[in-house]
Amino acid sequence: MAGPAPTPTPTPLPPPSVPAQPAAAARPARYDFLNSKPPANYVAGLGRGATGFTTRSDIGPARAAPDLPDRSAAAAAPAIGRGRGKPPGEDDGDDDGGDEEKGYDENQKFDEFEGNDAGLFSNADYDDDDREADAVWESIDKRMDSRRKDRREARLKQEIEKYRASNPKITEQFADLKRKLADLSAQEWESIPEIGDYSLRNKKKRFESFVPVPDTLLEKARQEQEHVTALDPKSRAAGGTETPWAQTPVTDLTAVGEGRGTVLSLKLDRLSDSVSGLTVVDPKGYLTDLKSMKITSDAEISDIKKARLLLKSVTQTNPKHPPGWIAAARLEEIAGKLQVARQLIQRGCEECPKNEDVWLEACRLASPDEAKAVIARGVKAIPNSVKLWLQAAKLETSDVNKSRVLRKGLEHIPDSVRLWKAVVELANEEDARLLLHRAVECCPLHVELWLALARLETYDQSRKVLNKAREKLPKEPSIWITAAKLEETNGNAQSVNKVIERAIRSLQREGMDIDREVWLKEAEAAERAGSVLTCQAIVKNTIGIGVDDEDRKRTWVADAEECKKRGSIETARAIYAHALTVFVGKKGVWLKAAQLEKSHGTRESLDALLKKAVNYNPRAEEAYAAIPNSEEIWLAAFKLEFENNEPQRARILLTKARERGGTERVWMKSAIVERELGNVEEERKLLEEGLKLFPSFFKLWLMLGQMEDRLGHGAKAKEVYENGLKHCPGCIPLWLSLTSLEERMNGLSKSRAILTMARKRNPATPELWLAAIRAELRHGNKKEADALLAKAQQECPASGILWAQAIEMVARPQRKGRSSDALKRSDHDPHVIAAVANLFWQDRKVDKARNWFNRAVTLAPDIGDFWVSYYRFELQHGNADTQRDVLRRCVAAEPKHGEKWQAITKAVENSHLSVEALLKKAVVALAEEENHNAADA
């Protein structure tokens, strides 16, 4: 059915360049309005309620488009720059045959940017203006891209790191395990099983057959599950006491699986934190755990999310619980959300306004500008909180403002001792005295305020203050002790003992239990404060309280030794002084007191003590006749005379000791005295007689061999050493002395043979290995020394002296790595620590070297070589104070051992030198040795 005929529209003529087409008589009738221009402001479908919009095709290109022919003419003749359409001569294969022309190709590819409108510009010419515009826009795109390049690359890098963190490589996952392979021992490495060939290559696939389960297997399974209440006939035949092997059932795998499930359920129940649907959280536990939490991975972020949910449940179910709010705020703080944390703790302050911990946490999280306002609200809500007032004072910058805040707090809390102490610390001496007068009025039962006031007052006023304090606090012993110190400070020595006696009687009248342990600690405190007389008075009046008569000696000696270990020398001296007044004839007490004076006193005090001991002896002509069988007393007397340069008197004492059956030590000391006097024949005679009595005492063999060597009798010295090794084959010093003698007499080969024999008879002895290594080094055999060192470390892997030698032998760039290996093997060995200290010293790392030297002498104070190196280091890099400190500590330690130290101290010319003189002499000798070695190198 044909519609109404449209209004005829004049058809524009084609351009002259296009030839006229014949009349399209065969075409079907078309509506002319499709090719006509719509009227202005025309919107299609406006009458049906449609809304107009503008597209790219309505706007057109940036420049004025050329006049185009109508679509019918364009379809008849091809134009220049046709674009994406097919040439006119080609057949597109449509049923229409191209009879009905369209304004664009509906089969062309959809353009994501221009849409279907791309065909509107396909007929336009690409001239120089288009080229210039494209160049401009391309440069603009490049400029914008360069501005966003850093941000894009940073985002790309962050995405890559995030991807690698969530998807690590297999090598990264096993990197820590591969590093741990370095710590495996040889036994652990050999115990690793061999990996088999588990590859599928060259393996034939086994034939798998699936057959039905036989009835016998099902019947056996049923029998294993059933319960039997009667004995089997075979078991009955055996008397029921044993089970036939054929009837023993196999393991019930079903029961095993059920057991595992039960164990797992028990573990889950124990780890569960849900009770009747409510989440149970320990907020106080979170408070402590959150302090050390650090976010380093996505897993921890997920943990924080879980914790956030838990704490949210806590704060919602119980909003009046302050630790929940504090834990939630700290969680957000650790997660980096400080503002959220502040909001949470602010809500906590609103919910719990009477809790001071919440206000303190809010003050901590607040910014410096807001902290004062927060704490002001807190003290307004809780005016009696001491912590809040102290925090408010801490926020102030000047002492005046701090004092003003604290005094404001004292108006609300006048009996707070902490506030009084804080405000007194900020005041000067005069104001502090006035404040303390007010403080003892407000807090009369606090002894520290009374004592502080007594220290600030004069002598007379202090006595009055202490008397008032005793009236208020009659059971407080510290007031009496302070009174005794006051008397001692003002020179009233006689009053000190009286005050302590009155104190003991007064406290006993008040019903106080006098604990001697507590009073001894007070005596040590008085000693540290410099009040020696007070210390002695306390010991004298309290040491015997609560001790039975038969236990007094043992208890007092033990107390003195404990005080000596703690460094309380005056207290120990006072205990011994009191013990000697009770036990005048006890040799053990006199000996302990003499040892204390020898170690920590002066020579004058030691002499005075020994004279006192002689005066108490009824026969004073011989100091030690009362205790003839005590070898310790004889040797102590010898040492005293010998150190006082009285060798003749020392000889007489040792002669009497030998006559009364002295031990091998007496013979050794006798030989030392003869060596000091230069009597070679007498020394040889004493040593030979001593060896007849004590052939297994190696020191006598060693002294005899050294004497022969010193006299130049090498053959005799060798014979002595060999005879000594027959009696003492395990004596390492004898082997080393013989080796050194052979090396000087016959060279390296003979010395090497002796060392080899010594190592066979005494395996796993690092001293012998070290001697062999050093012998090779002295003759320039570096490779042989390295080989010996490797064998030695295999036999003695934890030897500190071998590791120290290894650090010294390697090249300087490798010493750091070798020292690290040494510390892993022998962490607490002083030789390794001293070697590391020398390494730091060579690298000019002064502080580290000082710390490691200090550690070495602390671990082994008896080895003099460490003290020599330490003192030499302080002479080079320290000051006068550090040098004096090392000297003092070395004198107190009295080192006896050490390779270089014994070579100095055992010399005859150094026998009467003090430890300080020996240390300085050893430093000079060590410096000369190092200079000689450097010159030879």
Side-chain angles (χ1 to χ4, degrees):
M1 180 177 180
T7 307
T9 304
T11 303
L13 295 175
S17 60
V18 180
Q21 298 292 332
R27 286 185 177 183
R30 297 184 59 189
Y31 300 108
D32 293 336
F33 70 87
L34 293 176
N35 295 326
S36 62
K37 184 176 182 181
N41 300 327
Y42 171 74
V43 177
L46 183 61
R48 301 189 303 272
T51 304
F53 55 91
T54 304
T55 62
R56 185 183 295 273
S57 60
D58 298 324
I59 299 174
R63 63 182 185 277
D67 295 335
L68 297 176
D70 61 342
R71 298 187 180 184
S72 60
I80 298 175
R82 183 171 177 83
R84 300 178 185 175
K86 294 183 180 180
E90 294 184 5
D91 185 12
D92 56 359
D94 293 338
D95 296 338
D96 298 340
D99 294 338
E100 184 174 346
E101 182 63 28
K102 298 182 179 179
Y104 59 91
D105 187 3
E106 63 181 1
N107 296 321
Q108 69 183 7
K109 184 177 180 181
F110 180 77
D111 190 275
E112 295 182 358
F113 177 71
E114 295 182 347
N116 284 330
D117 297 337
L120 298 176
F121 303 99
S122 59
N123 296 328
D125 294 333
Y126 189 74
D127 53 9
D128 294 338
D129 293 339
D130 295 335
R131 193 174 294 105
E132 180 181 359
D134 290 342
V136 170
W137 285 108
E138 185 176 0
S139 64
I140 292 174
D141 291 339
K142 289 181 179 179
R143 173 63 176 170
M144 296 301 292
D145 183 67
S146 64
R147 291 178 61 182
R148 293 187 292 267
K149 181 179 180 181
D150 296 339
R151 206 181 328 170
R152 185 177 64 252
E153 291 179 352
R155 186 173 63 252
L156 180 60
K157 182 179 180 182
Q158 184 178 3
E159 292 177 356
I160 292 174
E161 292 177 351
K162 184 177 180 181
Y163 175 77
R164 289 177 178 175
S166 59
N167 300 278
K169 296 181 180 179
I170 192 69
T171 56
E172 296 176 356
Q173 294 180 359
F174 290 95
D176 56 341
L177 299 177
K178 292 173 67 178
R179 283 193 296 268
K180 291 180 180 178
L181 292 177
D183 299 331
L184 286 180
S185 62
Q187 294 79 7
E188 293 174 341
W189 185 267
E190 292 176 356
S191 64
I192 298 178
E194 294 292 338
I195 185 69
D197 184 13
Y198 293 102
S199 62
L200 297 178
R201 186 190 312 166
N202 301 327
K203 286 188 177 181
K204 296 181 180 180
K205 188 175 181 180
R206 296 181 179 180
F207 176 74
E208 297 179 358
S209 73
F210 299 94
V211 296
V213 178
D215 295 339
T216 56
L217 181 60
L218 297 177
E219 180 63 21
K220 189 172 183 61
R222 187 188 63 78
Q223 292 177 359
E224 290 176 358
Q225 292 291 334
E226 68 181 1
H227 299 280
V228 180
T229 58
L231 288 177
D232 186 74
K234 296 182 180 179
S235 299
R236 198 181 302 116
T241 58
E242 58 184 42
T243 302
W245 64 271
Q247 297 298 323
T248 303
V250 298
T251 304
D252 186 4
L253 300 181
T254 305
V256 172
E258 293 177 355
R260 292 181 60 185
T262 305
V263 172
L264 180 60
S265 64
L266 290 175
K267 288 184 178 180
L268 293 176
D269 292 340
R270 187 169 61 250
L271 296 176
S272 176
D273 64 342
S274 178
V275 179
S276 66
L278 297 178
T279 303
V280 179
V281 182
D282 181 13
K284 293 184 179 180
Y286 268 99
L287 290 178
T288 55
D289 293 342
L290 292 177
K291 290 181 180 179
S292 59
M293 183 183 293
K294 293 182 180 179
I295 303 173
T296 56
S297 63
D298 295 340
E300 294 186 7
I301 293 176
S302 63
D303 292 341
I304 287 184
K305 292 180 179 179
K306 295 177 182 178
R308 185 181 288 120
L309 292 176
L310 293 174
L311 292 174
K312 183 178 180 181
S313 175
V314 172
T315 55
Q316 288 179 354
T317 55
N318 190 5
K320 301 299 181 182
H321 188 54
W325 294 104
I326 297 174
R330 289 186 182 177
L331 178 67
E332 298 299 337
E333 179 188 10
I334 292 172
K337 299 181 179 181
L338 187 58
Q339 190 62 32
V340 178
R342 290 172 180 170
Q343 294 175 0
L344 283 173
I345 202 63
Q346 183 63 31
R347 289 180 55 195
C349 293
E350 295 173 359
E351 295 288 346
C352 311
K354 296 299 181 181
N355 186 270
E356 59 184 9
D357 293 334
V358 178
W359 288 106
L360 290 174
E361 186 69 14
C363 179
R364 188 184 68 84
L365 292 175
S367 61
D369 298 334
E370 299 176 356
K372 291 184 180 181
V374 172
I375 206 67
R377 294 198 302 269
V379 296
K380 186 176 180 181
I382 317 173
N384 294 329
S385 175
V386 178
K387 291 182 180 180
L388 294 182
W389 285 109
L390 291 175
Q391 182 65 27
K394 191 183 296 185
L395 293 176
E396 299 292 342
T397 56
S398 63
D399 292 343
V400 177
N401 293 336
K402 290 182 179 180
S403 180
R404 184 181 297 112
V405 172
L406 291 173
R407 295 188 184 195
K408 187 70 174 177
L410 286 172
E411 293 179 4
H412 294 84
I413 321 170
D415 57 346
S416 174
V417 179
R418 294 177 63 187
L419 292 181
W420 280 114
K421 287 182 180 180
V423 75
V424 167
E425 289 176 358
L426 296 173
N428 53 34
E429 185 175 351
E430 187 62 31
D431 293 341
R433 186 183 295 112
L434 297 175
L435 287 170
L436 284 172
H437 275 289
R438 177 60 179 163
V440 295
E441 293 177 4
C442 296
C443 307
L445 300 180
H446 200 276
V447 66
E448 291 187 14
L449 298 178
W450 287 104
L451 299 181
L453 179 59
R455 294 189 191 100
L456 294 177
E457 293 288 357
T458 60
Y459 173 63
D460 296 332
Q461 292 295 327
S462 295
R463 295 182 66 180
K464 295 179 181 178
V465 169
L466 291 175
N467 289 331
K468 292 181 180 179
R470 283 199 294 267
E471 294 175 1
K472 298 289 185 181
L473 300 166
K475 297 182 179 181
E476 185 57 51
S478 58
I479 300 176
W480 293 95
I481 297 174
T482 304
K485 293 179 181 178
L486 180 64
E487 298 295 338
E488 181 180 356
T489 304
N490 288 273
N492 300 328
Q494 299 297 329
S495 302
V496 175
N497 193 39
K498 294 180 181 179
V499 170
I500 298 299
E501 288 179 358
R502 289 179 54 196
I504 299 300
R505 290 196 301 267
S506 176
L507 292 173
Q508 287 178 344
R509 283 197 307 267
E510 293 293 335
M512 289 290 294
D513 184 16
I514 305 300
D515 189 353
R516 57 186 301 275
E517 299 292 338
V518 176
W519 281 90
L520 284 179
K521 291 181 180 179
E522 293 291 345
E524 295 183 39
E527 178 188 350
R528 290 192 293 269
S531 303
V532 179
L533 295 178
T534 304
C535 170
Q536 296 173 355
I538 293 174
V539 171
K540 180 180 178 181
N541 290 279
T542 60
I543 191 65
I545 297 177
V547 181
D548 297 333
D549 292 342
E550 60 271 14
D551 295 335
R552 287 185 300 176
K553 178 188 172 184
R554 178 180 55 82
T555 304
W556 290 350
V557 171
D559 291 339
E561 291 299 319
E562 289 297 325
C563 292
K564 182 181 176 181
K565 290 180 182 179
R566 292 193 292 266
S568 303
I569 306 302
E570 291 295 335
T571 307
R573 185 178 287 122
I575 294 174
Y576 280 131
H578 180 73
L580 289 173
T581 60
V582 179
F583 305 102
V584 180
K586 294 294 184 180
K587 63 179 181 180
V589 181
W590 287 105
L591 185 59
K592 292 286 186 181
Q595 290 176 351
L596 177 66
E597 294 299 333
K598 180 181 177 298
S599 302
H600 301 281
T602 61
R603 179 163 294 178
E604 291 77 10
S605 64
L606 180 59
D607 291 340
L609 181 65
L610 292 177
K611 289 178 181 179
K612 191 176 179 180
V614 172
N615 292 333
Y616 278 109
N617 186 11
R619 291 179 296 169
E621 68 276 1
E622 179 56 54
Y624 306 100
I627 38 178
N629 297 324
S630 176
E631 182 184 342
E632 294 294 333
I633 295 298
W634 287 107
L635 294 179
F638 152 75
K639 190 172 184 180
L640 178 63
E641 300 295 347
F642 188 74
E643 289 180 352
N644 288 328
N645 204 9
E646 296 287 346
Q648 295 296 339
R649 298 178 63 178
R651 176 195 282 179
I652 294 172
L653 287 171
L654 290 174
T655 302
K656 292 181 180 181
R658 293 198 306 273
E659 291 175 354
R660 300 186 183 188
T663 61
E664 62 269 17
R665 293 179 61 194
V666 176
W667 291 89
M668 182 184 68
K669 298 294 183 182
S670 301
I672 291 175
V673 173
E674 298 302 332
R675 184 180 63 185
E676 172 73 14
L677 295 174
N679 301 329
V680 178
E681 295 300 328
E682 189 66 24
E683 179 185 1
R684 181 184 287 110
K685 179 181 177 181
L686 286 171
L687 289 173
E688 289 176 353
E689 291 179 358
L691 287 173
K692 291 179 181 179
L693 296 174
F694 310 102
S696 61
F697 188 58
F698 75 94
K699 287 188 177 181
L700 295 178
W701 292 105
L702 200 60
M703 291 176 64
L704 183 58
Q706 289 173 352
M707 184 194 71
E708 298 294 349
D709 190 12
R710 188 171 65 250
L711 295 176
H713 304 156
K716 290 185 177 180
K718 178 180 178 182
E719 183 180 357
V720 170
Y721 287 143
E722 290 176 348
N723 291 332
L725 288 173
K726 291 178 182 178
H727 292 87
C728 310
C731 178
I732 305 303
L734 280 176
W735 285 107
L736 296 179
S737 299
L738 179 59
T739 301
S740 177
L741 180 63
E742 286 290 352
E743 185 178 355
R744 293 197 308 270
M745 293 175 57
N746 301 321
L748 178 61
S749 58
K750 186 64 176 177
S751 173
R752 186 183 294 161
I754 293 175
L755 283 172
T756 303
M757 185 188 306
R759 292 198 301 272
K760 289 182 179 179
R761 295 190 179 183
N762 302 278
T765 306
E767 290 82 6
L768 296 175
W769 284 104
L770 183 62
I773 293 168
R774 289 179 176 175
E776 298 293 344
L777 290 176
R778 281 194 296 270
H779 291 78
N781 301 330
K782 183 68 169 55
K783 292 184 178 179
E784 287 79 359
D786 291 337
L788 283 174
L789 179 61
K791 294 179 181 179
Q793 288 184 325
Q794 288 180 355
E795 189 171 342
C796 309
S799 173
I801 56 176
L802 292 178
W803 279 109
Q805 184 66 30
I807 295 173
E808 184 179 349
M809 287 175 58
V810 297
R812 189 164 183 174
Q814 301 174 1
R815 289 181 181 177
K816 184 176 180 181
R818 188 59 59 88
S819 63
S820 177
D821 296 338
L823 289 174
K824 291 180 181 178
R825 296 286 185 177
S826 305
D827 185 17
H828 298 290
D829 192 280
H831 295 87
V832 175
I833 294 173
V836 175
N838 286 316
L839 185 62
F840 284 130
W841 185 5
Q842 295 172 5
D843 293 340
R844 301 289 179 179
K845 298 178 180 179
V846 178
D847 293 335
K848 289 187 176 181
R850 180 176 289 112
N851 292 334
W852 283 80
F853 272 126
N854 184 40
R855 184 180 172 189
V857 298
T858 303
L859 287 174
D862 196 48
I863 300 179
D865 295 351
F866 302 156
W867 290 106
V868 174
S869 300
Y870 193 8
Y871 185 62
R872 185 161 177 254
F873 166 78
E874 292 297 345
L875 288 176
Q876 183 175 352
H877 297 286
N879 50 33
D881 295 335
T882 58
Q883 294 166 13
R884 281 195 300 269
D885 181 65
V886 173
L887 272 176
R888 178 186 58 79
R889 293 171 60 190
C890 180
V891 170
E894 291 186 0
K896 297 292 189 300
H897 300 90
E899 183 179 359
K900 299 180 179 63
W901 180 258
Q902 286 186 332
I904 299 295
T905 58
K906 297 295 183 180
V908 179
E909 63 273 12
N910 300 331
S911 58
H912 294 290
L913 293 180
S914 62
V915 177
E916 181 177 349
L918 290 173
L919 180 63
K920 294 181 179 179
K921 197 167 185 178
V923 168
V924 175
L926 180 61
E928 292 177 355
E929 181 183 351
E930 290 186 356
N931 293 333
H932 179 70
N933 294 336
D936 293 342

